[in-house]
Amino acid sequence: MNLFKKLFRRASDPQPSPSPAPAAEQPEDLLPPPEEPEEAVAVELAPAALPSDLNTAHSAPSASPEPDAAADEPEAPEPVPQQPQPDPVPEDTVLVSHNAREIYAPFPPFSRLDLSSKRELVAFRDYVVLAMETTGLVSGRDHILELAMERYEGGRLVGRFQGLVLQDSPLSPQVTQLTGLTDADMARQAIPPMEAAQRAAAFIGSAPLVFHNASFVIPFLERLLAMAGVAGPVAYVDSLRLARRAWPEYKTYSLDYLIRRQNLAKRQPHRARGDAMCLSALFRLILTQLGRSGRETKLSEQFQPRAGVVPDQSGPLWQKRIVFAGVFQSGKAAMQMAVDAGALLRETVSAKTDFLVLAPSAADGAKARAAAALNQAGKAHITFLDEASFLRMVRQ
């Protein structure tokens, strides 16, 4: 009975599930394959995408692996060498397209003339006045739109140059509004940059240039002249610097302000030809103002060139020293006429005097005797003039 009860209990008890075999005892071929991390696929590079020297470095086994903590960290990738780049263009050269060929043209050097002495001012009579309009204010990004020049020889105007320069892109609305030029105007009248550069260089020749505000003009101009192969040096005079010397009391020296202040003839605004004509007149006024002596101030302060009157550099009285003696029928108008003609008024006779204008009452005066003595001693070459002769000369 007891045996029957034991058998009955064993049959009714739940049978425990067999425990699995230890992992170590399972065959390797039954283990599931390890899963690759997703980030490994994202950063994997094909061998062809790496340079050949880097492929070799990654495939070669390590010579002496050290089992340390750092070995578990991924190695930093070696820097990929940069592809060889062309040599940078020097800052003083400009890339020019000519007959479908690209060449590097060096910028010509510029040499400033200060005209610091009276002798230099008087002798400066051969030059080219230059004015330009640009598409903006930054050279290299913006370009010359219009160029105008006037050539002077012996102080006399002998030639003019004016031309529009063809642009690679349409004109901006701002440029059209300022200048009045349109794309249709450019298509009809503009010439290619290379042709414009060659014509401009031929017109300039070896003459020194006169322009206003060299810091703005030169960066544009050097690129243009580089296209024509001008080697330089290019001599120039900055009229802005001379204007500061001529009128130190002014608060600004922009070209537009000086033109208005000197009451010069109005011209078409924001066009190179009008600016060149006004700059020529302004430059002659500057030379006249600088030619005055700071030692004798009474006449210099009393007689100034009349506004809008531009002296003729080729005239017989330009930068000549004149002394007046006596009372004239025309009164002080004779002195004003001399100043308007570019003459330099002096109060006393010296070896530097060029003309002595005598009224009848001063024919035998002290100034006449002093001038005659200097001429006789060979120290001066003073020309004696009466009032009528002087008026004929000044009106030539």
Side-chain angles (χ1 to χ4, degrees), residues 111-139:
S111 174
R112 189 181 71 222
L113 304 177
D114 288 328
L115 303 184
S116 56
S117 68
K118 300 289 181 63
R119 181 174 300 177
E120 290 176 319
L121 289 169
V122 173
F124 194 75
R125 306 181 73 188
D126 299 335
Y127 53 87
V128 172
V129 175
L130 180 145
M132 65 175 61
E133 288 295 331
T134 63
T135 58
L137 303 177
V138 181
S139 174

Short mmCIF file of all heavy atoms in Angstrom, two decimals, residues 111-139:
data_model
loop_
_atom_site.label_atom_id
_atom_site.label_comp_id
_atom_site.label_asym_id
_atom_site.label_seq_id
_atom_site.Cartn_x
_atom_site.Cartn_y
_atom_site.Cartn_z
N SER A 111 54.48 105.94 -60.35
CA SER A 111 55.41 106.84 -59.66
C SER A 111 54.77 108.22 -59.54
O SER A 111 54.46 108.86 -60.56
CB SER A 111 56.73 106.93 -60.44
OG SER A 111 57.59 107.89 -59.88
N ARG A 112 54.57 108.68 -58.30
CA ARG A 112 53.88 109.95 -58.08
C ARG A 112 54.82 111.14 -58.21
O ARG A 112 55.95 111.12 -57.72
CB ARG A 112 53.25 109.97 -56.69
CG ARG A 112 52.32 111.15 -56.44
CD ARG A 112 51.74 111.15 -55.06
NE ARG A 112 52.74 111.46 -54.05
CZ ARG A 112 52.86 110.85 -52.89
NH1 ARG A 112 52.05 109.85 -52.60
NH2 ARG A 112 53.78 111.19 -52.03
N LEU A 113 54.34 112.18 -58.88
CA LEU A 113 55.05 113.45 -58.98
C LEU A 113 54.37 114.43 -58.03
O LEU A 113 53.17 114.67 -58.15
CB LEU A 113 55.01 113.98 -60.41
CG LEU A 113 55.56 113.05 -61.52
CD1 LEU A 113 55.38 113.69 -62.88
CD2 LEU A 113 57.02 112.71 -61.26
N ASP A 114 55.12 115.01 -57.12
CA ASP A 114 54.53 115.90 -56.12
C ASP A 114 54.46 117.35 -56.59
O ASP A 114 53.66 118.12 -56.05
CB ASP A 114 55.33 115.83 -54.82
CG ASP A 114 55.11 114.51 -54.09
OD1 ASP A 114 54.00 113.96 -54.21
OD2 ASP A 114 56.05 114.03 -53.44
N LEU A 115 55.30 117.74 -57.56
CA LEU A 115 55.35 119.14 -58.02
C LEU A 115 55.47 120.07 -56.82
O LEU A 115 54.68 121.00 -56.64
CB LEU A 115 54.10 119.48 -58.85
CG LEU A 115 53.82 118.61 -60.08
CD1 LEU A 115 52.61 119.16 -60.83
CD2 LEU A 115 55.02 118.53 -60.98
N SER A 116 56.47 119.82 -56.00
CA SER A 116 56.60 120.54 -54.74
C SER A 116 57.29 121.89 -54.88
O SER A 116 57.19 122.73 -53.98
CB SER A 116 57.38 119.68 -53.73
OG SER A 116 58.64 119.30 -54.26
N SER A 117 57.99 122.13 -55.98
CA SER A 117 58.70 123.40 -56.14
C SER A 117 58.04 124.25 -57.23
O SER A 117 57.32 123.74 -58.09
CB SER A 117 60.16 123.14 -56.50
OG SER A 117 60.27 122.58 -57.79
N LYS A 118 58.32 125.54 -57.18
CA LYS A 118 57.78 126.46 -58.19
C LYS A 118 58.31 126.10 -59.57
O LYS A 118 57.59 126.21 -60.58
CB LYS A 118 58.16 127.90 -57.83
CG LYS A 118 57.63 128.37 -56.48
CD LYS A 118 56.13 128.57 -56.54
CE LYS A 118 55.62 129.06 -55.19
NZ LYS A 118 56.16 130.37 -54.81
N ARG A 119 59.55 125.68 -59.62
CA ARG A 119 60.13 125.32 -60.92
C ARG A 119 59.39 124.14 -61.54
O ARG A 119 59.13 124.13 -62.75
CB ARG A 119 61.62 125.00 -60.73
CG ARG A 119 62.34 124.64 -62.02
CD ARG A 119 63.82 124.47 -61.77
NE ARG A 119 64.41 125.69 -61.25
CZ ARG A 119 65.69 125.81 -60.89
NH1 ARG A 119 66.49 124.76 -60.97
NH2 ARG A 119 66.15 126.96 -60.43
N GLU A 120 59.07 123.14 -60.72
CA GLU A 120 58.33 121.99 -61.23
C GLU A 120 56.93 122.40 -61.69
O GLU A 120 56.44 121.89 -62.71
CB GLU A 120 58.24 120.91 -60.16
CG GLU A 120 59.54 120.22 -59.85
CD GLU A 120 59.41 119.24 -58.71
OE1 GLU A 120 58.72 119.56 -57.72
OE2 GLU A 120 60.00 118.14 -58.80
N LEU A 121 56.29 123.28 -60.96
CA LEU A 121 54.96 123.72 -61.34
C LEU A 121 54.97 124.44 -62.68
O LEU A 121 54.09 124.21 -63.53
CB LEU A 121 54.39 124.66 -60.27
CG LEU A 121 54.01 124.01 -58.93
CD1 LEU A 121 53.73 125.08 -57.89
CD2 LEU A 121 52.80 123.10 -59.10
N VAL A 122 55.95 125.29 -62.88
CA VAL A 122 56.03 126.05 -64.13
C VAL A 122 56.37 125.13 -65.30
O VAL A 122 55.84 125.28 -66.40
CB VAL A 122 57.07 127.18 -64.00
CG1 VAL A 122 57.28 127.87 -65.34
CG2 VAL A 122 56.63 128.19 -62.94
N ALA A 123 57.24 124.15 -65.06
CA ALA A 123 57.71 123.29 -66.15
C ALA A 123 56.70 122.20 -66.51
O ALA A 123 56.83 121.59 -67.58
CB ALA A 123 59.04 122.64 -65.76
N PHE A 124 55.71 121.96 -65.67
CA PHE A 124 54.77 120.86 -65.92
C PHE A 124 53.70 121.33 -66.91
O PHE A 124 52.65 121.86 -66.51
CB PHE A 124 54.13 120.41 -64.61
CG PHE A 124 53.42 119.09 -64.71
CD1 PHE A 124 54.12 117.91 -64.76
CD2 PHE A 124 52.04 119.03 -64.76
CE1 PHE A 124 53.47 116.69 -64.85
CE2 PHE A 124 51.38 117.82 -64.85
CZ PHE A 124 52.10 116.65 -64.90
N ARG A 125 53.95 121.08 -68.18
CA ARG A 125 53.03 121.55 -69.22
C ARG A 125 52.66 120.45 -70.22
O ARG A 125 51.83 120.67 -71.10
CB ARG A 125 53.64 122.74 -69.97
CG ARG A 125 54.07 123.88 -69.05
CD ARG A 125 54.63 125.03 -69.83
NE ARG A 125 53.59 125.76 -70.53
CZ ARG A 125 53.83 126.73 -71.41
NH1 ARG A 125 55.08 127.07 -71.70
NH2 ARG A 125 52.84 127.35 -72.00
N ASP A 126 53.29 119.30 -70.11
CA ASP A 126 52.98 118.16 -70.98
C ASP A 126 52.43 117.02 -70.12
O ASP A 126 53.15 116.44 -69.30
CB ASP A 126 54.24 117.68 -71.73
CG ASP A 126 54.83 118.77 -72.61
OD1 ASP A 126 54.09 119.67 -73.03
OD2 ASP A 126 56.05 118.71 -72.87
N TYR A 127 51.17 116.67 -70.32
CA TYR A 127 50.54 115.65 -69.50
C TYR A 127 49.23 115.21 -70.13
O TYR A 127 48.75 115.79 -71.10
CB TYR A 127 50.28 116.18 -68.08
CG TYR A 127 49.51 117.47 -68.02
CD1 TYR A 127 48.11 117.48 -68.01
CD2 TYR A 127 50.16 118.70 -68.00
CE1 TYR A 127 47.39 118.66 -67.97
CE2 TYR A 127 49.45 119.90 -67.96
CZ TYR A 127 48.08 119.87 -67.95
OH TYR A 127 47.37 121.04 -67.92
N VAL A 128 48.63 114.16 -69.54
CA VAL A 128 47.33 113.63 -69.97
C VAL A 128 46.41 113.60 -68.77
O VAL A 128 46.72 112.97 -67.76
CB VAL A 128 47.47 112.22 -70.58
CG1 VAL A 128 46.08 111.63 -70.85
CG2 VAL A 128 48.28 112.25 -71.86
N VAL A 129 45.29 114.30 -68.86
CA VAL A 129 44.27 114.30 -67.82
C VAL A 129 43.36 113.09 -68.04
O VAL A 129 42.90 112.85 -69.16
CB VAL A 129 43.45 115.59 -67.82
CG1 VAL A 129 42.32 115.52 -66.81
CG2 VAL A 129 44.35 116.79 -67.54
N LEU A 130 43.10 112.32 -66.99
CA LEU A 130 42.33 111.08 -67.11
C LEU A 130 41.20 111.07 -66.10
O LEU A 130 41.38 111.43 -64.94
CB LEU A 130 43.25 109.88 -66.89
CG LEU A 130 42.62 108.49 -66.99
CD1 LEU A 130 43.60 107.50 -67.61
CD2 LEU A 130 42.17 107.97 -65.62
N ALA A 131 40.02 110.65 -66.56
CA ALA A 131 38.86 110.44 -65.70
C ALA A 131 38.17 109.16 -66.14
O ALA A 131 38.24 108.77 -67.31
CB ALA A 131 37.90 111.63 -65.77
N MET A 132 37.51 108.50 -65.19
CA MET A 132 36.84 107.23 -65.52
C MET A 132 35.56 107.09 -64.73
O MET A 132 35.37 107.71 -63.69
CB MET A 132 37.78 106.05 -65.21
CG MET A 132 38.12 105.90 -63.74
SD MET A 132 39.11 104.42 -63.39
CE MET A 132 40.56 104.77 -64.35
N GLU A 133 34.68 106.26 -65.26
CA GLU A 133 33.50 105.80 -64.55
C GLU A 133 33.62 104.28 -64.41
O GLU A 133 34.06 103.60 -65.34
CB GLU A 133 32.21 106.15 -65.30
CG GLU A 133 31.85 107.62 -65.27
CD GLU A 133 31.53 108.13 -63.89
OE1 GLU A 133 31.06 107.33 -63.05
OE2 GLU A 133 31.76 109.33 -63.63
N THR A 134 33.24 103.74 -63.26
CA THR A 134 33.35 102.31 -63.01
C THR A 134 31.99 101.73 -62.64
O THR A 134 31.05 102.47 -62.33
CB THR A 134 34.35 102.04 -61.87
OG1 THR A 134 33.85 102.63 -60.66
CG2 THR A 134 35.71 102.62 -62.20
N THR A 135 31.90 100.42 -62.69
CA THR A 135 30.65 99.74 -62.33
C THR A 135 30.48 99.61 -60.82
O THR A 135 29.43 99.15 -60.36
CB THR A 135 30.61 98.35 -62.96
OG1 THR A 135 31.75 97.58 -62.51
CG2 THR A 135 30.63 98.44 -64.47
N GLY A 136 31.48 99.95 -60.06
CA GLY A 136 31.43 99.88 -58.60
C GLY A 136 32.71 100.45 -58.01
O GLY A 136 33.48 101.12 -58.70
N LEU A 137 32.93 100.18 -56.74
CA LEU A 137 34.03 100.79 -56.02
C LEU A 137 35.19 99.85 -55.74
O LEU A 137 36.23 100.30 -55.26
CB LEU A 137 33.52 101.34 -54.66
CG LEU A 137 32.39 102.35 -54.74
CD1 LEU A 137 31.95 102.76 -53.33
CD2 LEU A 137 32.80 103.57 -55.54
N VAL A 138 35.05 98.56 -56.05
CA VAL A 138 36.07 97.57 -55.69
C VAL A 138 36.74 97.06 -56.96
O VAL A 138 36.10 96.41 -57.80
CB VAL A 138 35.45 96.40 -54.90
CG1 VAL A 138 36.53 95.40 -54.52
CG2 VAL A 138 34.74 96.92 -53.67
N SER A 139 38.03 97.34 -57.10
CA SER A 139 38.78 96.85 -58.25
C SER A 139 38.90 95.34 -58.19
O SER A 139 39.09 94.75 -57.13
CB SER A 139 40.17 97.48 -58.25
OG SER A 139 40.98 96.92 -59.27
#
